[in-house]
Amino acid sequence: MTALTLSTAGAATLRADALVIGVAKSGKTLVVAPGAEAVDKAFDGRLAAVLETLGASGAEGEATKLPAPAGLKAPVVLAVGLGSAPEDGASYGAETLRRAAGVAARTLTGSKKAAFALPIDDAEDASAIAEGALLGAYAFDQYRSSGDAKDAKKPLGEVALLGAKPRDKAHKAAAERAQAVAEEINRARDLINMPPNDLTPAAFAAAAQAAGKEHGLKVQVLDEKALAKGGFGGILGVGVGSQNPPRLVRIGYTHPKAEKTLALVGKGITYDSGGISLKPAGHNETMKCDMSGAAAVFSTVVAAARLGLEVNVTGWLALAENMPSGSATRPGDVLRMYSGKTVEVLNTDAEGRLVLADALTRASEEHPDAIVDVATLTGAMVLALGNRTFGIMANDDDFRSAIHEIAEEVGEASWPMPLPADLRKGMDSPTADIANMGERMGGGLVAGLFLQEFVGEGITWAHLDIAGPAFHEGAPYGYTPKGGTGSSVRTLVRLAELTAAGEL
Ligand code: BES
Ligand code: ZN
Ligand code: ZN
């Protein structure tokens, strides 16, 4: 794990393997961002000119390495682009700093220690840089044999943040928060990247139990016997085709002074083959990511505990493996759900809504102040919003807007989506109360309407469809690596914080 320290040392005097500075565009010229004055001085004030000679433009995502002159304690200077310099000394903006720090940390893979001398105006900037660096330094190497190849890919060992004030309460708290949140996002990424032959529902539940012990959380696991006894027909119906039986995990964080309870429900399909409605080749290679919602929920509950938030946060992980076999649910089968409703399964690949439905009903029994479910639910949402934006649906317009604003504030792309009532009739079933599939058009909204039917009367609820951003297949960018991203954790943590503060 990458260490984080706040240092009062000057950029010129701290010993490190690399010194990270920011550069930006000001009109047509390249400027060195605040925080790197001492570094520029070591270059006799010619740092921007030298970087320009090397082709640096200051564009976001750009990283330029150059040898440090005598007078600096680090052998290498790494200049990362911050885009356009803000007017009149305004802040560069948290997300710009977060991404630039991520680029730097990624570029410095294999290094032991880097000093970050990026522009810091306030505690929020310090937090963004810390978060970006720790997220950018992420590597999933548990499955690589040791040797040179593994060593070269070792994440940056230590991030020393310059310009933050370690004795300032706000700065210290911001850095500690950033570290807890980033580490929990990286926990989610690890779970998502873990191959599905190892991360079975039982293994996921065991991970929750272990983290629960470590952080003082109450963890209850329903295994397949308990699920059958309880009548969880949705979760069982999805898991019944697999050799790895399903689980429903409740992971609860409580605070003695909490006035509100937030319930988070996560889709935890450890592998989605589609079941009997088997996915074609080309659509199943990344389906280990189908438990990203449960991973985000799990990480958020642990983060809430680590931050000691004055709110109760209950996580529900609906875990199952969706496989085809002689015992698998068939298209045409009818399941009796935990709520008592019957569902005709027309497509076994629409399994997420089945496990979530049971978990939503169960979560509703505890009458939380709000429920948010998170799921890699539909390909339709990816078609609608692309690979980087998640959709938000809700039974309350204000709640949906609040979550959208929170996501924006923490640097996660999202967009509010409607739940048009006319799409409900497409799920009418000749046999059961509802079918698990409806019209193809607006498939993401159809899924949302299905879930809504399993939310307890009068409970504020929102649904995040993270099918696009949960798993990144392209080249890494900013602080986003290939593979699991930890999408929605930052939004959920902030939602919990605002709930604790009574602002929601
Ligand atoms: N896990 C998939 C959705 C998904 C697609 C996640 C792409 C991540 C990336 C989900 O279970 C699924 O297969 N949904 C079907 C529903 C349909 C059969 C009604 C879909 O979207 O095609
Ligand atoms: Zn599916
Ligand atoms: Zn799925």
Side-chain angles (χ1 to χ4, degrees), residues 136-337:
Y138 175 80
F140 184 69
D141 57 5
Q142 294 170 35
Y143 285 82
R144 270 185 215 287
S145 315
S146 48
D148 291 351
K150 181 159 174 160
D151 288 348
K153 290 199 160 104
K154 264 215 172 104
L156 173 61
E158 183 182 340
V159 171
L161 208 59
L162 308 183
K165 305 177 195 128
R167 282 180 212 98
D168 177 312
K169 255 195 186 155
H171 281 232
K172 210 167 151 249
E176 278 169 9
R177 178 192 183 278
Q179 184 162 21
V181 173
E183 284 174 4
E184 289 314 315
I185 291 172
N186 288 340
R187 176 204 297 279
R189 291 171 169 182
D190 275 347
L191 286 166
I192 297 164
N193 291 330
M194 194 152 320
N197 54 337
D198 281 348
L199 192 79
T200 58
F204 198 143
Q209 267 163 332
K213 230 185 198 160
E214 190 184 339
H215 297 284
L217 303 165
K218 197 169 156 199
V219 179
Q220 292 156 298
V221 179
L222 298 188
D223 64 11
E224 68 273 32
K225 277 194 198 127
L227 289 167
K229 204 166 161 213
F232 291 86
I235 296 174
L236 283 167
V238 173
V240 72
S242 171
Q243 300 272 15
N244 302 307
R247 298 285 185 269
L248 176 63
V249 177
R250 181 190 188 282
I251 177 165
Y253 164 68
T254 54
H255 189 283
K257 287 198 215 142
E259 286 176 4
K260 293 215 159 147
T261 298
L262 184 62
L264 304 174
V265 176
K267 171 176 173 181
I269 302 299
T270 56
Y271 184 71
D272 183 10
S273 72
I276 297 293
S277 314
L278 194 64
K279 284 181 188 294
H283 291 261
N284 51 21
E285 294 81 353
T286 59
M287 278 304 142
K288 67 175 181 181
C289 81
D290 216 17
M291 34 55 71
S292 297
V297 165
F298 175 26
S299 291
T300 302
V301 177
V302 179
R306 287 178 63 170
L307 299 172
L309 303 185
E310 276 188 33
V311 57
N312 300 326
V313 185
T314 313
W316 297 93
L317 318 178
L319 308 172
E321 187 180 43
N322 188 22
M323 294 293 268
S325 76
S327 60
T329 292
R330 322 154 186 73
D333 281 357
V334 172
L335 304 176
R336 183 171 293 278
M337 309 294 279

Side-chain angles (χ1 to χ4, degrees), residues 75-142:
V76 170
V77 170
L78 174 65
V80 287
L82 296 169
S84 297
E87 311 247 315
D88 302 332
S91 164
Y92 276 82
E95 180 61 6
T96 297
L97 294 172
R98 197 180 284 117
R99 288 192 188 201
V103 171
R106 267 197 300 110
T107 309
L108 294 170
T109 299
S111 300
K112 286 214 170 68
K113 177 173 178 177
F116 282 63
L118 292 170
I120 295 180
D121 267 355
D122 52 21
E124 196 196 350
D125 290 347
S127 158
I129 294 167
E131 224 171 68
L134 297 179
L135 291 174
Y138 175 80
F140 184 69
D141 57 5
Q142 294 170 35

